[in-house]
Amino acid sequence: MSQFGDGGLLGSKPYAGSGAYINRMSDYCGHCRYNVTKRVGEDACPFNALYWDFLARNEDKLRPNRRMAMPYRTWDRMKPETRAETRAQASAFLDQLDASGPPY
Protein backbone atom coordinates (compact mmCIF):
# COMPACT_ATOMS: atom_id res chain seq x y z
CA MET A 1 0.00 0.00 0.00
CA SER A 2 2.93 2.31 0.61
CA GLN A 3 4.01 2.07 -3.01
CA PHE A 4 0.77 3.77 -4.00
CA GLY A 5 1.86 6.88 -2.11
CA ASP A 6 2.91 8.53 -5.38
CA GLY A 7 -0.64 8.26 -6.72
CA GLY A 8 0.37 5.74 -9.37
CA LEU A 9 2.93 7.92 -11.13
CA LEU A 10 5.77 5.40 -10.97
CA GLY A 11 4.14 2.08 -10.30
CA SER A 12 1.64 0.46 -12.62
CA LYS A 13 -0.35 -0.85 -9.65
CA PRO A 14 -0.19 -0.57 -5.87
CA TYR A 15 1.95 -3.10 -4.09
CA ALA A 16 -0.69 -4.28 -1.66
CA GLY A 17 -1.09 -7.71 -0.17
CA SER A 18 -3.43 -9.66 2.03
CA GLY A 19 -2.37 -11.93 4.86
CA ALA A 20 -2.22 -14.88 2.47
CA TYR A 21 0.27 -13.03 0.26
CA ILE A 22 2.39 -12.02 3.24
CA ASN A 23 2.31 -15.61 4.50
CA ARG A 24 3.41 -16.99 1.11
CA MET A 25 6.16 -14.46 0.54
CA SER A 26 7.67 -14.19 4.02
CA ASP A 27 8.16 -15.91 7.34
CA TYR A 28 6.34 -13.23 9.36
CA CYS A 29 3.21 -15.32 9.95
CA GLY A 30 4.86 -18.32 11.58
CA HIS A 31 4.28 -17.32 15.19
CA CYS A 32 1.49 -14.80 14.72
CA ARG A 33 -1.60 -15.19 16.89
CA TYR A 34 -3.88 -14.29 13.98
CA ASN A 35 -5.39 -16.79 11.54
CA VAL A 36 -4.11 -15.85 8.09
CA THR A 37 -7.02 -17.62 6.39
CA LYS A 38 -9.73 -15.56 8.13
CA ARG A 39 -10.95 -12.16 6.95
CA VAL A 40 -13.27 -11.31 9.86
CA GLY A 41 -13.50 -12.28 13.50
CA GLU A 42 -11.41 -11.77 16.60
CA ASP A 43 -8.57 -13.98 15.40
CA ALA A 44 -8.70 -12.89 11.72
CA CYS A 45 -5.49 -11.58 10.18
CA PRO A 46 -5.80 -7.77 10.10
CA PHE A 47 -4.05 -7.60 6.72
CA ASN A 48 -6.92 -9.44 5.03
CA ALA A 49 -9.58 -6.88 5.93
CA LEU A 50 -7.14 -4.00 5.46
CA TYR A 51 -6.31 -5.20 1.94
CA TRP A 52 -9.94 -5.28 0.83
CA ASP A 53 -10.69 -2.01 2.59
CA PHE A 54 -7.77 -0.37 0.76
CA LEU A 55 -9.13 -1.59 -2.58
CA ALA A 56 -12.65 -0.41 -1.73
CA ARG A 57 -11.50 3.04 -0.57
CA ASN A 58 -9.38 3.55 -3.69
CA GLU A 59 -11.71 1.90 -6.19
CA ASP A 60 -12.18 5.01 -8.35
CA LYS A 61 -8.43 5.22 -8.96
CA LEU A 62 -7.59 1.52 -9.08
CA ARG A 63 -10.46 -0.25 -10.86
CA PRO A 64 -9.60 1.19 -14.30
CA ASN A 65 -6.12 -0.36 -14.06
CA ARG A 66 -6.18 -3.64 -16.04
CA ARG A 67 -3.71 -5.19 -13.59
CA MET A 68 -6.32 -4.78 -10.84
CA ALA A 69 -9.07 -6.62 -12.73
CA MET A 70 -8.72 -9.92 -10.85
CA PRO A 71 -8.93 -8.48 -7.32
CA TYR A 72 -11.94 -6.39 -8.29
CA ARG A 73 -13.66 -9.40 -9.86
CA THR A 74 -13.19 -11.17 -6.52
CA TRP A 75 -14.55 -8.13 -4.66
CA ASP A 76 -17.54 -8.00 -7.01
CA ARG A 77 -18.36 -11.67 -6.34
CA MET A 78 -18.50 -11.10 -2.58
CA LYS A 79 -21.96 -10.66 -1.09
CA PRO A 80 -22.75 -7.11 0.04
CA GLU A 81 -22.92 -8.38 3.64
CA THR A 82 -19.44 -9.90 3.32
CA ARG A 83 -18.05 -6.66 1.94
CA ALA A 84 -19.67 -4.67 4.75
CA GLU A 85 -18.31 -7.08 7.38
CA THR A 86 -14.84 -6.85 5.89
CA ARG A 87 -14.88 -3.05 5.84
CA ALA A 88 -16.18 -2.98 9.43
CA GLN A 89 -13.38 -5.35 10.49
CA ALA A 90 -10.77 -3.06 8.92
CA SER A 91 -12.32 0.00 10.54
CA ALA A 92 -12.40 -1.67 13.96
CA PHE A 93 -8.76 -2.68 13.64
CA LEU A 94 -7.72 0.84 12.63
CA ASP A 95 -9.76 2.36 15.47
CA GLN A 96 -8.10 0.01 17.95
CA LEU A 97 -4.69 0.85 16.54
CA ASP A 98 -5.37 4.56 16.80
CA ALA A 99 -6.67 4.21 20.38
CA SER A 100 -4.05 2.02 21.97
CA GLY A 101 -1.31 1.10 19.54
CA PRO A 102 -0.81 -2.38 18.07
CA PRO A 103 -3.21 -5.04 19.42
CA TYR A 104 -0.48 -7.56 20.19
Side-chain angles (χ1 to χ4, degrees), residues 2-3 8 11-12 23 30-31 41 43 52-53 58 60-61 63-64 67-69 73 75 82 93 95-96 98 100:
S2 66
Q3 274 55 37
S12 62
N23 188 39
H31 300 295
D43 63 337
W52 291 111
D53 183 63
N58 293 284
D60 290 345
K61 292 178 185 174
R63 189 178 278 273
R67 296 189 65 205
M68 297 302 296
R73 276 195 303 271
W75 179 249
T82 302
F93 176 74
D95 289 346
Q96 182 180 6
D98 286 343
S100 63

Side-chain angles (χ1 to χ4, degrees), residues 13-92:
K13 76 176 212 175
Y15 188 73
S18 66
Y21 179 81
I22 294 168
N23 188 39
R24 268 194 316 272
M25 299 304 209
S26 74
D27 60 359
Y28 292 119
C29 300
H31 300 295
C32 183
R33 76 170 185 88
Y34 295 107
N35 184 338
V36 73
T37 64
K38 292 181 76 176
R39 185 182 312 124
V40 296
E42 192 171 312
D43 63 337
C45 175
F47 288 104
N48 292 331
L50 292 171
Y51 171 76
W52 291 111
D53 183 63
F54 173 78
L55 292 185
R57 284 185 291 110
N58 293 284
E59 186 169 2
D60 290 345
K61 292 178 185 174
L62 299 177
R63 189 178 278 273
N65 185 331
R66 292 181 313 189
R67 296 189 65 205
M68 297 302 296
M70 187 184 326
Y72 281 108
R73 276 195 303 271
T74 301
W75 179 249
D76 292 341
R77 284 193 303 266
M78 289 182 197
K79 294 178 183 176
E81 303 84 33
T82 302
R83 284 188 250 160
E85 261 187 327
T86 301
R87 304 274 326 263
Q89 179 83 17
S91 180

Side-chain angles (χ1 to χ4, degrees), residues 3-14:
Q3 274 55 37
F4 194 62
D6 70 353
L9 296 175
L10 296 176
S12 62
K13 76 176 212 175

